Amino acid sequence: MLSHWLEWTLDDKTPSRRTGTFASGAYQLIAPGVLALTPEDISDNARACVFSAAIHGNETAPVELLGQWLCALEAGAAKLHAPVLVILGNIPALKAQTRFVETNLNRLFERGLDRQGFEADRARELMQIVDAFFERYAALPRLHYDLHTAIRQSRYPRFVVEPFSTTVTEAEQWAWLAGADMQAILHQHQPSFTFSHYSRHYHQAQAFTFELGRVAPFGQNDLAALAPMGALLAALGAGETPQSGGALPHFRVEHELKRQNEAFTLCFDEDVSNFTRFEPGTVLARDGEAGDFTVGSTPLHVVFPNAHVELGARAALLVVPADDAAPA
Ligand SMILES: [Zn+2]
């Protein structure tokens, strides 16, 4: 069943049984696209783990990565010694190979959300499921890895966004991320209602948003580059201590470029890579209301640029190296 779950979910096929067992544990389908895995034995080092993917429907590499791990669990090649919740966020968008149906799901994970619509309903359902999962395993440390791929190329194809929160990241997390071959860390500068922020803010989980390469359709992802990330997920699922790596470059947000006016342009190529560096004096944006934005005395790196956002929304993050945030 585990090895077929992804295909069945995409085909709207209901498995004949919603629960079952495999060599090292049991599974339960608790909602569409949500699989709870319960180990026979919980190891001493286990964390309550949430692994989510396809919060944006066209980001398929993480879905394939989780699929590989589920197959290995079913075959007995991987072991389960920690409770894990596997979540596929936006199934209709995943089927349609689009980022979302009505709106960006990864801005809606806020308690008391009063918006209507498909993504808002799904956000409420997932928040309630995550709450129940962490409550069930209240004695265990909490962890949530939300797995994405980026729209554009990047100077660091695999990077990790640390949500803004009062919950401090443990030093071992930085070492594990490096061990999983992540290439850079970006520290958020303010709260944003992403799924990983939800688990960090409301549940004090060690939670991150991962950008694992570039968006591609099923079957066209470079899974070999993600093998160390797959090993990190497998180690957490097995309740083992993951592989550690050395220090990674850290960046922090220096400025958030917002679109204020209909007349708004970014002054660089549409397909510029994430983390591209711009030197002092470079004009980065022209806005009918806010005027020009020019790089000051410190070079700035551009991340997640998008000129076509709604008025008042983020058109780019401008980031700088943050040596002080490097792991001790
Ligand atoms: Zn995404």
Side-chain angles (χ1 to χ4, degrees), residues 182-195:
M182 298 299 110
Q183 297 161 309
I185 308 290
L186 173 59
H187 302 273
Q188 282 281 25
H189 64 308
Q190 61 186 30
S192 155
F193 294 112
T194 62
F195 204 10

Side-chain angles (χ1 to χ4, degrees), residues 105-117:
L105 174 59
N106 212 23
R107 297 287 179 276
L108 302 180
F109 292 95
E110 181 183 13
R111 281 201 181 146
L113 178 78
D114 61 2
R115 286 177 63 148
Q116 303 302 311

Side-chain angles (χ1 to χ4, degrees), residues 55-56 58-59 99 104 106 147-150 209-211 215:
I55 296 299
H56 296 132
N58 57 341
E59 300 175 0
R99 189 167 167 81
N104 183 354
N106 212 23
L147 312 177
H148 291 245
T149 55
T209 303
F210 288 71
E211 299 289 350
V215 164

